[in-house]
C-alpha cells in the first residue's frame, strides 16, 4: 500500500552530472554562460523546415535562462555538448502547479526538446528525460506534461490524454457590425500589475468548468505581465475589457503565431452580458490583430482568428453560428508514474462524486487490471481508504481491464468509459457494478489548461 504523503526516495543533488557519454559527448546541466549558444540552437532547431531561425523560440529560451522565471533557470536545462563544447541536444523543465477538480498537485513540464539532426537516434533525448523526470520527482511533482509531435513522447512513458488546442474559427467577415449611429460601449486596454486581483478573479471564472487547470500565484502573474519579452512564445498578451467609464467587464488573453491571432482565455464578470461583450470582441480582435501584424512585421493578416478556449466555453455559446464548428483538437502528453499516489491525492473528488450519484455510501473493492500492473481501490462508506495491489488469477482477472495506458484517458476525463470500450476490445468490465462505479468515479470532463511557459 502507498500513501500520497510519502516523499520520493531520491537525493537532492545534480543526479550524477556531468556525465561522459563517450565519443567526446558530455551530458551536463546548463549555466547562464550557455545562454547565447542555446538561444541560437533552439531558434534554429525549432524553426520550420526551410525557414529562418524562429526568434520567438529564442526569446522564450532567453526568458527561461535569465534567472527571473518563477520556477526555472539555466540549471534546469540539460545539455549534451560535443568535444568542442558545441550544444548538440537539450531539453528543460518548467515546474508548475495544476489542479484536478480543485485539488492542487505539482507538475513538471519538459519543453524545448531538440537534437541536432546529425546526432539523432542515439538515445540522447532518452538520457535527458530520465534526468528531468528524476528532478521533477525530487520537487514532489506527481505528474509530467508536454506538448509535441505525434507519437514521439510515448517512448518515454507519456500518453496523449488531455485536450489541447480545441478551437473554433471566427472569420473576420462574420464579425458583428455596428448599426448605423451605434457606437462601441466597451474598450480593450493592456492589463498591468495593478490588475492582478481582477485578473485572478476572471481567470477563476474562465476555468471553472475545466477538470484540470493551472494555479496562478502572485509571482507568476507578475512575471507574465511584466518580465517576459513581448515577442517571446511565453509572453501572454492580457487585456482588460472595460466599459467607456473605465469599469471592468472582463478579460482576454491572446497569442500571435505567424499571421493568426489566438484567443486562449476569456471571461466576463458576473452581471455582464457575454453576448454584448462577445460582439464587441469580434471587432476589437480584428483591430488587435492588425496592430500585432505591423509590430511583428509578419505576412498579411489571416482572414480569421482562432478562438482556442477548449472543447466548451461560454464564448462559443455567446457567438453561436458566427463561429465555425469545433476543430479536431490535439492532446497533451501526460506521464503519471505513481498512479496510486495520484488516486489517493484526488480521493476527496472521487468521494464527492459518489455522494452525488447512485453509488453514494459505497463500500467495496474495485480491482483495476492494467495487464502488467494491478490496483485495488478500497472504499468504506463512500470513503477511499486504500489504494493497493492484487495478484490476478488469470490474464484479465479484475473488475475492469485496461490495456496499456488507456486508464489515464478515463482518469483525466478525456474519454468516457463507454467510449473507451468501443475503441479497445480488450478494455471491459467484468460486471455491471464496476461499469456504473467507473462511470461515477471518472466521468468525461473537458480540460483547458493555460500552462506556465
Amino acid at each position: 500500500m502507498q500513501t500520497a504523503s510519502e516523499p520520493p526516495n531520491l537525493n537532492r543533488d545534480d543526479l550524477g552530472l556531468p556525465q561522459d557519454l563517450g565519443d567526446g559527448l558530455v551530458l551536463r546541466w546548463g549555466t547562464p554562460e550557455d545562454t547565447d549558444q542555446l538561444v541560437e540552437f533552439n531558434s534554429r532547431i525549432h524553426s520550420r523546415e526551410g525557414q529562418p531561425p524562429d526568434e520567438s523560440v529564442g526569446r522564450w529560451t532567453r526568458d527561461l535562462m535569465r534567472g527571473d522565471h518563477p520556477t526555472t533557470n539555466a540549471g534546469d536545462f540539460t545539455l549534451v555538448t560535443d568535444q568542442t563544447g558545441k550544444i548538440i541536444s537539450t531539453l528543460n523543465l518548467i515546474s508548475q502547479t495544476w489542479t484536478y477538480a480543485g485539488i492542487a498537485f505539482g507538475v513538471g513540464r519538459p519543453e524545448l526538446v531538440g537534437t541536432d539532426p546529425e546526432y539523432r537516434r542515439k538515445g540522447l533525448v532518452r538520457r535527458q528525460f530520465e534526468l528531468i523526470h528524476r528532478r521533477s520527482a525530487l520537487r514532489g511533482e506527481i505528474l509530467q506534461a508536454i506538448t509535441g509531435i505525434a507519437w514521439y513522447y510515448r517512448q518515454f512513458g507519456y500518453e496523449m490524454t488531455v485536450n489541447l488546442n480545441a478551437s473554433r474559427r471566427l472569420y473576420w467577415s462574420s464579425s458583428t457590425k455596428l448599426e448605423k449611429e451605434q457606437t462601441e460601449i466597451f474598450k480593450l486596454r493592456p492589463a498591468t500589475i495593478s490588475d492582478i486581483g481582477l485578473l485572478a478573479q476572471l481567470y477563476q471564472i474562465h476555468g471553472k468548468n475545466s477538470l484540470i487547470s493551472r494555479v496562478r500565484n502572485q509571482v507568476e502573474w507578475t512575471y507574465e505581465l511584466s518580465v517576459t519579452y513581448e515577442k517571446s512564445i511565453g509572453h501572454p498578451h492580457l487585456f482588460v475589457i472595460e466599459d467607456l467609464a473605465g469599469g471592468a467587464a472582463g478579460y482576454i488573453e491572446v497569442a500571435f503565431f505567424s499571421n493568426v491571432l489566438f484567443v486562449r482565455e476569456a471571461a466576463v464578470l458576473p452581471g455582464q452580458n457575454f453576448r454584448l461583450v462577445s460582439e464587441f470582441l469580434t471587432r476589437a480582435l480584428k483591430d488587435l490583430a492588425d496592430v500585432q501584424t505591423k509590430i511583428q512585421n509578419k505576412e498579411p493578416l489571416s482572414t480569421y482568428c482562432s478562438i482556442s478556449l477548449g472543447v466548451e466555453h461560454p464564448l462559443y455559446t455567446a457567438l453561436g453560428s458566427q463561429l465555425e464548428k469545433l476543430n479536431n483538437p490535439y492532446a497533451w502528453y501526460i506521464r503519471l508514474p505513481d498512479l496510486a499516489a495520484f488516486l489517493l491525492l484526488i480521493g476527496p473528488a472521487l468521494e464527492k462524486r459518489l455522494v452525488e450519484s447512485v453509488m453514494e455510501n459505497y463500500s467495496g473493492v474495485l480491482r483495476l487490471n492494467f495487464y502488467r500492473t494491478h490496483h485495488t481501490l478500497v472504499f468504506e462508506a463512500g470513503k477511499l481508504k486504500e489504494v493497493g495491489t492484487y495478484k490476478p488469477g488469470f490474464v484479465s482477472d479484475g473488475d475492469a481491464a485496461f490495456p496499456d495506458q488507456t486508464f489515464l484517458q478515463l482518469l483525466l476525463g478525456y474519454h468516457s468509459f463507454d467510449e473507451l470500450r468501443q475503441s479497445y476490445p480488450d478494455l471491459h468490465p467484468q460486471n455491471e457494478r464496476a461499469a456504473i462505479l467507473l462511470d461515477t468515479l471518472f466521468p468525461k470532463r473537458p480540460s483547458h489548461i493555460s500552462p506556465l511557459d
Side-chain angles (χ1 to χ4, degrees), residues 48-85:
R48 294 180 181 177
E49 186 175 354
Q51 296 295 313
D54 190 328
E55 293 184 5
S56 64
V57 176
R59 290 171 179 137
W60 184 25
T61 302
R62 195 174 295 278
D63 285 341
L64 294 169
M65 292 284 285
R66 197 169 48 234
D68 51 12
H69 187 278
T71 68
T72 300
N73 58 42
D76 289 309
F77 282 79
T78 54
L79 305 178
V80 179
T81 58
D82 67 10
Q83 60 271 22
T84 69

Side-chain angles (χ1 to χ4, degrees), residues 22-41:
D23 297 324
L25 303 183
V26 174
L27 171 59
R28 63 177 175 84
W29 297 110
T31 69
E33 289 71 29
D34 297 309
T35 298
D36 290 341
Q37 187 187 171
L38 188 57
V39 166
E40 185 281 328
F41 178 85

Side-chain angles (χ1 to χ4, degrees), residues 37-176:
Q37 187 187 171
L38 188 57
V39 166
E40 185 281 328
F41 178 85
N42 280 337
S43 300
R44 173 170 49 85
I45 291 296
H46 293 283
S47 62
R48 294 180 181 177
E49 186 175 354
Q51 296 295 313
D54 190 328
E55 293 184 5
S56 64
V57 176
R59 290 171 179 137
W60 184 25
T61 302
R62 195 174 295 278
D63 285 341
L64 294 169
M65 292 284 285
R66 197 169 48 234
D68 51 12
H69 187 278
T71 68
T72 300
N73 58 42
D76 289 309
F77 282 79
T78 54
L79 305 178
V80 179
T81 58
D82 67 10
Q83 60 271 22
T84 69
K86 177 184 175 182
I87 296 171
I88 54 95
S89 185
T90 183
L91 59 91
N92 76 304
L93 177 67
I94 308 173
S95 294
Q96 50 205 276
T97 301
W98 290 6
T99 64
Y100 176 100
I103 299 169
F105 57 95
V107 172
R109 181 188 177 193
E111 256 301 342
L112 291 169
V113 181
T115 301
D116 189 285
E118 184 180 345
Y119 290 90
R120 290 173 184 170
R121 294 179 175 83
K122 296 181 181 294
L124 299 180
V125 169
R126 182 175 298 279
R127 282 178 175 262
Q128 292 174 87
F129 260 108
E130 290 170 355
L131 288 163
I132 289 296
H133 289 161
R134 291 171 65 190
R135 174 160 285 192
S136 184
L138 285 170
R139 293 178 176 174
E141 294 160 0
I142 200 169
L143 180 150
Q144 288 78 44
I146 189 171
T147 59
I149 57 177
W151 177 80
Y152 184 74
Y153 296 103
R154 296 180 189 273
Q155 301 175 91
F156 313 115
Y158 290 79
E159 175 71 12
M160 301 185 84
T161 184
V162 175
N163 280 319
L164 173 67
N165 294 338
S167 63
R168 297 177 66 176
R169 287 185 177 182
L170 169 68
Y171 282 90
W172 302 127
S173 58
S174 297
S175 298
T176 305

Side-chain angles (χ1 to χ4, degrees), residues 206 233 235-236 253-255 257 262-266 308-309 448 450:
H206 161 74
I233 286 178
H235 179 76
E253 189 271 321
V254 304
F257 298 114
F262 291 78
V263 178
R264 303 187 298 185
E265 297 175 27
S308 303
L309 296 171
H448 179 61
S450 300

Side-chain angles (χ1 to χ4, degrees), residues 168-210:
R168 297 177 66 176
R169 287 185 177 182
L170 169 68
Y171 282 90
W172 302 127
S173 58
S174 297
S175 298
T176 305
K177 307 298 188 292
L178 288 173
E179 299 291 339
K180 189 177 181 179
E181 308 298 329
Q182 189 179 14
T183 60
E184 297 287 11
I185 61 175
F186 298 106
K187 60 183 178 180
L188 282 181
R189 67 165 176 82
T192 67
I193 291 177
S194 63
D195 295 311
I196 288 177
L198 170 66
L199 293 171
Q201 178 187 1
L202 288 163
Y203 178 63
Q204 290 297 317
I205 295 171
H206 161 74
K208 68 180 181 180
N209 294 321
S210 181

Side-chain angles (χ1 to χ4, degrees), residues 368-374 392 395-396 401-404 425-428:
L368 301 178
N369 185 333
F370 305 132
Y371 291 100
R372 292 179 177 174
T373 61
H374 310 84
V395 67
S396 60
F402 294 85
D404 300 323
D426 52 350
L427 186 156
H428 55 84

Side-chain angles (χ1 to χ4, degrees), residues 212-230:
I212 301 170
S213 59
R214 173 170 67 98
V215 175
R216 266 175 163 147
N217 59 30
Q218 182 84 11
V219 172
E220 292 176 10
W221 278 114
T222 301
Y223 174 80
E224 291 177 321
L225 285 166
S226 63
V227 180
T228 56
Y229 188 73
E230 185 176 0

